[in-house]
Amino acid sequence: MDAENDAAGLPVAVPSTALFTDQYELTMLQAALRSGTAHRRSVFEVFTRRLPDGRRYGVVAGTGRMLDAVENFRFDPAILGFLRERDIVDDPTVAWLTDYRFGGDIDGYPEGEVYFPGSPLLRVEGTFAECVLLETVILSILNYDSAVAAAASRMAVAANGRSLMEMGARRMHELAAVAASRAAYVGGFSTTSDLAAGFRYGIPTVGTSAHAFTLLHDSERQAFTAQVESLGRGTTLLVDTYDVREAVRTAVEVAGPGLGAVRIDSGDLLMVAHQVRRQLDELGAHDTRIVVTSDLDEYAIASLAAAPVDAYGVGTQLVTGSGHPTCSMVYKLVARAGDDPGAPLVPVAKRSSGGKLSVGGRKWAARPVDEEGVATAEVIGTGEVPAEYADRQLLVPLVRGGRAVARERLDAARDRHVRARAGLPLSATQLSRGEPALPTRYLTPPSA
């Protein structure tokens, strides 16, 4: 049972995630078991070396889904049979996997928090064997969900308090669409058109009609009448199938001045929105809202700031990260111990040339603020945390001894993001291309 959803009263089972992985993780496991190093205490960290080009901050999303994936990383008989039949791993490795349960600890930035280049978003600790298997499933969740949440956050900034509806399910794989709805909600969207997301995560759902419904009827008036009689006067009528001005007039005649909203899905949205608002007011429908759709992104939303628009529906650009569908997060071994049970952790890092920045050691992160409460830097270090950063720590416990300890409702992550974004310098909310809003400052010198 999905514990996050169980807490919300949503009975959704999560299947085994054991094959959401790359084969090389299992071959590394086999070789480490053979060499006797699989039991060595290890620390892996998730971070990104850079933000997508021009972005000012990133958004952590997918944490709740990641916790589900870790708890459900189990090798059942069918999966073990597949590994045997394909000779993916040898029999001793299959025997080891039979009882696999992640029993280590995970700390990380809480969902909804912002991050910057080098931020240790997730720290996974345990034996090498149990930690290395989780690389792909963790990255696949955090990379995609965080990309969508970052796009959603930028759109929320551009919307400046106006309502945002996620409606991109038809542009994605059906399961990715559910994850996108969840991430968009964390980033600032208020509703989704995807019923699976509403069922699984409790996100409010919306939806009325498409052009096909109007075209089905002999006239636009008949279509509007059917919709109002079925759904009530508070419904949203789509007014750009034929002539917008005529449709608005008909819509108010059918529903009265209490019509809930009209939706515009094509044309010069800025000009049409002004024309429709003027016409609605002339017809006495002063409270009828205007909803616009039509392949919007954060820039299109910002361009409509002066338009009398009440809500935006966003699909393709949102669920594809508005041009950046991944965050390029990586999962790297940063420290490991020797063979003795009490052996200390030793920092490790890739040292070859090529510009891939790597910092060895088990890290902590803090975000100091100025006298006005605005963040000034992302400070990252190893070893003991200096006293001046003790109350500004960013990582929190997520898993202890293999059990999730940070379950929370999705609204908590959504609210956290609003607070985190508000604590950044004003430049963070600019949509223009620029450097990260905060500099990353290492107290431990990085190595290349």
PDB file of all heavy atoms in Angstrom, residues 285-309:
ATOM      1  N   ALA A 285     -22.502  40.155 -17.254  1.00  0.00           N
ATOM      2  CA  ALA A 285     -21.834  38.981 -16.679  1.00  0.00           C
ATOM      3  C   ALA A 285     -20.497  39.398 -16.064  1.00  0.00           C
ATOM      4  O   ALA A 285     -19.423  38.925 -16.461  1.00  0.00           O
ATOM      5  CB  ALA A 285     -21.637  37.928 -17.759  1.00  0.00           C
ATOM      6  N   HIS A 286     -20.580  40.280 -15.085  1.00  0.00           N
ATOM      7  CA  HIS A 286     -19.374  40.865 -14.493  1.00  0.00           C
ATOM      8  C   HIS A 286     -18.516  39.844 -13.744  1.00  0.00           C
ATOM      9  O   HIS A 286     -17.306  40.024 -13.626  1.00  0.00           O
ATOM     10  CB  HIS A 286     -19.756  42.005 -13.551  1.00  0.00           C
ATOM     11  CG  HIS A 286     -20.543  43.097 -14.209  1.00  0.00           C
ATOM     12  ND1 HIS A 286     -19.972  44.004 -15.082  1.00  0.00           N
ATOM     13  CD2 HIS A 286     -21.869  43.419 -14.143  1.00  0.00           C
ATOM     14  CE1 HIS A 286     -20.898  44.840 -15.521  1.00  0.00           C
ATOM     15  NE2 HIS A 286     -22.059  44.513 -14.976  1.00  0.00           N
ATOM     16  N   ASP A 287     -19.127  38.792 -13.228  1.00  0.00           N
ATOM     17  CA  ASP A 287     -18.387  37.804 -12.441  1.00  0.00           C
ATOM     18  C   ASP A 287     -17.985  36.575 -13.255  1.00  0.00           C
ATOM     19  O   ASP A 287     -17.374  35.649 -12.707  1.00  0.00           O
ATOM     20  CB  ASP A 287     -19.225  37.362 -11.242  1.00  0.00           C
ATOM     21  CG  ASP A 287     -19.467  38.504 -10.264  1.00  0.00           C
ATOM     22  OD1 ASP A 287     -18.573  39.362 -10.127  1.00  0.00           O
ATOM     23  OD2 ASP A 287     -20.554  38.542  -9.645  1.00  0.00           O
ATOM     24  N   THR A 288     -18.347  36.549 -14.524  1.00  0.00           N
ATOM     25  CA  THR A 288     -17.950  35.418 -15.362  1.00  0.00           C
ATOM     26  C   THR A 288     -16.447  35.486 -15.614  1.00  0.00           C
ATOM     27  O   THR A 288     -15.922  36.501 -16.058  1.00  0.00           O
ATOM     28  CB  THR A 288     -18.703  35.444 -16.703  1.00  0.00           C
ATOM     29  OG1 THR A 288     -20.107  35.321 -16.456  1.00  0.00           O
ATOM     30  CG2 THR A 288     -18.250  34.295 -17.600  1.00  0.00           C
ATOM     31  N   ARG A 289     -15.771  34.397 -15.312  1.00  0.00           N
ATOM     32  CA  ARG A 289     -14.312  34.359 -15.423  1.00  0.00           C
ATOM     33  C   ARG A 289     -13.884  34.022 -16.844  1.00  0.00           C
ATOM     34  O   ARG A 289     -14.619  33.405 -17.609  1.00  0.00           O
ATOM     35  CB  ARG A 289     -13.739  33.337 -14.435  1.00  0.00           C
ATOM     36  CG  ARG A 289     -14.111  33.644 -12.990  1.00  0.00           C
ATOM     37  CD  ARG A 289     -13.858  32.465 -12.057  1.00  0.00           C
ATOM     38  NE  ARG A 289     -12.421  32.245 -11.861  1.00  0.00           N
ATOM     39  CZ  ARG A 289     -11.779  31.142 -12.215  1.00  0.00           C
ATOM     40  NH1 ARG A 289     -12.438  30.156 -12.824  1.00  0.00           N
ATOM     41  NH2 ARG A 289     -10.492  31.012 -11.992  1.00  0.00           N
ATOM     42  N   ILE A 290     -12.651  34.410 -17.183  1.00  0.00           N
ATOM     43  CA  ILE A 290     -12.071  34.095 -18.481  1.00  0.00           C
ATOM     44  C   ILE A 290     -10.894  33.145 -18.281  1.00  0.00           C
ATOM     45  O   ILE A 290      -9.958  33.445 -17.530  1.00  0.00           O
ATOM     46  CB  ILE A 290     -11.605  35.361 -19.212  1.00  0.00           C
ATOM     47  CG1 ILE A 290     -12.804  36.267 -19.526  1.00  0.00           C
ATOM     48  CG2 ILE A 290     -10.858  35.006 -20.493  1.00  0.00           C
ATOM     49  CD1 ILE A 290     -12.413  37.589 -20.168  1.00  0.00           C
ATOM     50  N   VAL A 291     -10.967  32.001 -18.936  1.00  0.00           N
ATOM     51  CA  VAL A 291      -9.911  30.990 -18.884  1.00  0.00           C
ATOM     52  C   VAL A 291      -9.262  30.923 -20.264  1.00  0.00           C
ATOM     53  O   VAL A 291      -9.956  30.872 -21.284  1.00  0.00           O
ATOM     54  CB  VAL A 291     -10.486  29.608 -18.519  1.00  0.00           C
ATOM     55  CG1 VAL A 291      -9.374  28.547 -18.500  1.00  0.00           C
ATOM     56  CG2 VAL A 291     -11.195  29.668 -17.176  1.00  0.00           C
ATOM     57  N   VAL A 292      -7.932  30.932 -20.310  1.00  0.00           N
ATOM     58  CA  VAL A 292      -7.237  30.803 -21.588  1.00  0.00           C
ATOM     59  C   VAL A 292      -6.362  29.556 -21.581  1.00  0.00           C
ATOM     60  O   VAL A 292      -5.773  29.182 -20.566  1.00  0.00           O
ATOM     61  CB  VAL A 292      -6.388  32.051 -21.923  1.00  0.00           C
ATOM     62  CG1 VAL A 292      -7.263  33.268 -22.076  1.00  0.00           C
ATOM     63  CG2 VAL A 292      -5.318  32.291 -20.863  1.00  0.00           C
ATOM     64  N   THR A 293      -6.311  28.908 -22.734  1.00  0.00           N
ATOM     65  CA  THR A 293      -5.437  27.754 -22.949  1.00  0.00           C
ATOM     66  C   THR A 293      -4.665  28.025 -24.239  1.00  0.00           C
ATOM     67  O   THR A 293      -4.476  29.164 -24.602  1.00  0.00           O
ATOM     68  CB  THR A 293      -6.264  26.457 -23.006  1.00  0.00           C
ATOM     69  OG1 THR A 293      -7.328  26.618 -23.944  1.00  0.00           O
ATOM     70  CG2 THR A 293      -6.882  26.152 -21.644  1.00  0.00           C
ATOM     71  N   SER A 294      -4.189  27.011 -24.943  1.00  0.00           N
ATOM     72  CA  SER A 294      -3.509  27.159 -26.239  1.00  0.00           C
ATOM     73  C   SER A 294      -1.992  27.168 -26.117  1.00  0.00           C
ATOM     74  O   SER A 294      -1.331  28.190 -26.343  1.00  0.00           O
ATOM     75  CB  SER A 294      -3.966  28.423 -26.986  1.00  0.00           C
ATOM     76  OG  SER A 294      -3.429  28.450 -28.302  1.00  0.00           O
ATOM     77  N   ASP A 295      -1.423  26.022 -25.709  1.00  0.00           N
ATOM     78  CA  ASP A 295       0.028  25.797 -25.713  1.00  0.00           C
ATOM     79  C   ASP A 295       0.803  26.896 -24.992  1.00  0.00           C
ATOM     80  O   ASP A 295       1.783  27.440 -25.502  1.00  0.00           O
ATOM     81  CB  ASP A 295       0.531  25.654 -27.153  1.00  0.00           C
ATOM     82  CG  ASP A 295       1.810  24.826 -27.247  1.00  0.00           C
ATOM     83  OD1 ASP A 295       2.031  23.997 -26.345  1.00  0.00           O
ATOM     84  OD2 ASP A 295       2.570  25.013 -28.203  1.00  0.00           O
ATOM     85  N   LEU A 296       0.390  27.205 -23.791  1.00  0.00           N
ATOM     86  CA  LEU A 296       1.034  28.261 -23.009  1.00  0.00           C
ATOM     87  C   LEU A 296       2.335  27.779 -22.369  1.00  0.00           C
ATOM     88  O   LEU A 296       2.508  26.603 -22.072  1.00  0.00           O
ATOM     89  CB  LEU A 296       0.085  28.740 -21.908  1.00  0.00           C
ATOM     90  CG  LEU A 296      -1.266  29.304 -22.344  1.00  0.00           C
ATOM     91  CD1 LEU A 296      -2.125  29.596 -21.130  1.00  0.00           C
ATOM     92  CD2 LEU A 296      -1.082  30.555 -23.196  1.00  0.00           C
ATOM     93  N   ASP A 297       3.247  28.706 -22.143  1.00  0.00           N
ATOM     94  CA  ASP A 297       4.403  28.484 -21.280  1.00  0.00           C
ATOM     95  C   ASP A 297       4.533  29.702 -20.369  1.00  0.00           C
ATOM     96  O   ASP A 297       3.657  30.583 -20.363  1.00  0.00           O
ATOM     97  CB  ASP A 297       5.679  28.241 -22.090  1.00  0.00           C
ATOM     98  CG  ASP A 297       6.073  29.422 -22.971  1.00  0.00           C
ATOM     99  OD1 ASP A 297       5.471  30.511 -22.833  1.00  0.00           O
ATOM    100  OD2 ASP A 297       6.995  29.257 -23.789  1.00  0.00           O
ATOM    101  N   GLU A 298       5.617  29.780 -19.586  1.00  0.00           N
ATOM    102  CA  GLU A 298       5.738  30.882 -18.632  1.00  0.00           C
ATOM    103  C   GLU A 298       5.836  32.235 -19.328  1.00  0.00           C
ATOM    104  O   GLU A 298       5.358  33.243 -18.805  1.00  0.00           O
ATOM    105  CB  GLU A 298       6.934  30.671 -17.688  1.00  0.00           C
ATOM    106  CG  GLU A 298       8.292  30.596 -18.363  1.00  0.00           C
ATOM    107  CD  GLU A 298       8.725  29.175 -18.652  1.00  0.00           C
ATOM    108  OE1 GLU A 298       7.901  28.404 -19.186  1.00  0.00           O
ATOM    109  OE2 GLU A 298       9.880  28.831 -18.347  1.00  0.00           O
ATOM    110  N   TYR A 299       6.439  32.257 -20.519  1.00  0.00           N
ATOM    111  CA  TYR A 299       6.587  33.523 -21.235  1.00  0.00           C
ATOM    112  C   TYR A 299       5.249  33.992 -21.787  1.00  0.00           C
ATOM    113  O   TYR A 299       4.921  35.192 -21.740  1.00  0.00           O
ATOM    114  CB  TYR A 299       7.612  33.372 -22.349  1.00  0.00           C
ATOM    115  CG  TYR A 299       8.956  32.923 -21.848  1.00  0.00           C
ATOM    116  CD1 TYR A 299       9.391  31.610 -22.048  1.00  0.00           C
ATOM    117  CD2 TYR A 299       9.789  33.788 -21.141  1.00  0.00           C
ATOM    118  CE1 TYR A 299      10.618  31.191 -21.558  1.00  0.00           C
ATOM    119  CE2 TYR A 299      11.016  33.375 -20.655  1.00  0.00           C
ATOM    120  CZ  TYR A 299      11.425  32.068 -20.870  1.00  0.00           C
ATOM    121  OH  TYR A 299      12.646  31.660 -20.382  1.00  0.00           O
ATOM    122  N   ALA A 300       4.462  33.070 -22.317  1.00  0.00           N
ATOM    123  CA  ALA A 300       3.127  33.427 -22.806  1.00  0.00           C
ATOM    124  C   ALA A 300       2.237  33.894 -21.659  1.00  0.00           C
ATOM    125  O   ALA A 300       1.462  34.848 -21.797  1.00  0.00           O
ATOM    126  CB  ALA A 300       2.491  32.242 -23.521  1.00  0.00           C
ATOM    127  N   ILE A 301       2.364  33.225 -20.514  1.00  0.00           N
ATOM    128  CA  ILE A 301       1.578  33.627 -19.344  1.00  0.00           C
ATOM    129  C   ILE A 301       1.975  35.034 -18.908  1.00  0.00           C
ATOM    130  O   ILE A 301       1.128  35.888 -18.621  1.00  0.00           O
ATOM    131  CB  ILE A 301       1.769  32.614 -18.200  1.00  0.00           C
ATOM    132  CG1 ILE A 301       1.124  31.270 -18.574  1.00  0.00           C
ATOM    133  CG2 ILE A 301       1.178  33.146 -16.894  1.00  0.00           C
ATOM    134  CD1 ILE A 301       1.451  30.150 -17.617  1.00  0.00           C
ATOM    135  N   ALA A 302       3.275  35.297 -18.873  1.00  0.00           N
ATOM    136  CA  ALA A 302       3.749  36.631 -18.479  1.00  0.00           C
ATOM    137  C   ALA A 302       3.269  37.700 -19.455  1.00  0.00           C
ATOM    138  O   ALA A 302       2.951  38.826 -19.051  1.00  0.00           O
ATOM    139  CB  ALA A 302       5.276  36.629 -18.400  1.00  0.00           C
ATOM    140  N   SER A 303       3.187  37.353 -20.727  1.00  0.00           N
ATOM    141  CA  SER A 303       2.750  38.332 -21.724  1.00  0.00           C
ATOM    142  C   SER A 303       1.278  38.688 -21.555  1.00  0.00           C
ATOM    143  O   SER A 303       0.816  39.697 -22.095  1.00  0.00           O
ATOM    144  CB  SER A 303       2.986  37.789 -23.133  1.00  0.00           C
ATOM    145  OG  SER A 303       2.054  36.761 -23.457  1.00  0.00           O
ATOM    146  N   LEU A 304       0.542  37.874 -20.821  1.00  0.00           N
ATOM    147  CA  LEU A 304      -0.884  38.112 -20.587  1.00  0.00           C
ATOM    148  C   LEU A 304      -1.146  38.771 -19.231  1.00  0.00           C
ATOM    149  O   LEU A 304      -2.285  38.834 -18.772  1.00  0.00           O
ATOM    150  CB  LEU A 304      -1.659  36.795 -20.675  1.00  0.00           C
ATOM    151  CG  LEU A 304      -1.697  36.147 -22.065  1.00  0.00           C
ATOM    152  CD1 LEU A 304      -2.236  34.728 -21.971  1.00  0.00           C
ATOM    153  CD2 LEU A 304      -2.534  36.981 -23.018  1.00  0.00           C
ATOM    154  N   ALA A 305      -0.095  39.259 -18.599  1.00  0.00           N
ATOM    155  CA  ALA A 305      -0.236  39.851 -17.262  1.00  0.00           C
ATOM    156  C   ALA A 305      -1.224  41.002 -17.247  1.00  0.00           C
ATOM    157  O   ALA A 305      -1.942  41.216 -16.258  1.00  0.00           O
ATOM    158  CB  ALA A 305       1.121  40.304 -16.748  1.00  0.00           C
ATOM    159  N   ALA A 306      -1.276  41.767 -18.328  1.00  0.00           N
ATOM    160  CA  ALA A 306      -2.173  42.924 -18.379  1.00  0.00           C
ATOM    161  C   ALA A 306      -3.548  42.572 -18.937  1.00  0.00           C
ATOM    162  O   ALA A 306      -4.421  43.433 -19.025  1.00  0.00           O
ATOM    163  CB  ALA A 306      -1.548  44.026 -19.230  1.00  0.00           C
ATOM    164  N   ALA A 307      -3.731  41.317 -19.305  1.00  0.00           N
ATOM    165  CA  ALA A 307      -5.017  40.891 -19.872  1.00  0.00           C
ATOM    166  C   ALA A 307      -5.993  40.534 -18.754  1.00  0.00           C
ATOM    167  O   ALA A 307      -5.582  40.095 -17.673  1.00  0.00           O
ATOM    168  CB  ALA A 307      -4.817  39.702 -20.794  1.00  0.00           C
ATOM    169  N   PRO A 308      -7.289  40.689 -18.989  1.00  0.00           N
ATOM    170  CA  PRO A 308      -8.292  40.340 -17.979  1.00  0.00           C
ATOM    171  C   PRO A 308      -8.548  38.830 -17.946  1.00  0.00           C
ATOM    172  O   PRO A 308      -9.644  38.349 -18.208  1.00  0.00           O
ATOM    173  CB  PRO A 308      -9.522  41.113 -18.454  1.00  0.00           C
ATOM    174  CG  PRO A 308      -9.378  41.157 -19.937  1.00  0.00           C
ATOM    175  CD  PRO A 308      -7.905  41.286 -20.198  1.00  0.00           C
ATOM    176  N   VAL A 309      -7.493  38.090 -17.638  1.00  0.00           N
ATOM    177  CA  VAL A 309      -7.553  36.633 -17.596  1.00  0.00           C
ATOM    178  C   VAL A 309      -7.595  36.179 -16.137  1.00  0.00           C
ATOM    179  O   VAL A 309      -6.879  36.717 -15.288  1.00  0.00           O
ATOM    180  CB  VAL A 309      -6.327  36.022 -18.309  1.00  0.00           C
ATOM    181  CG1 VAL A 309      -6.271  34.512 -18.109  1.00  0.00           C
ATOM    182  CG2 VAL A 309      -6.347  36.361 -19.788  1.00  0.00           C
TER     183      VAL A 309
END
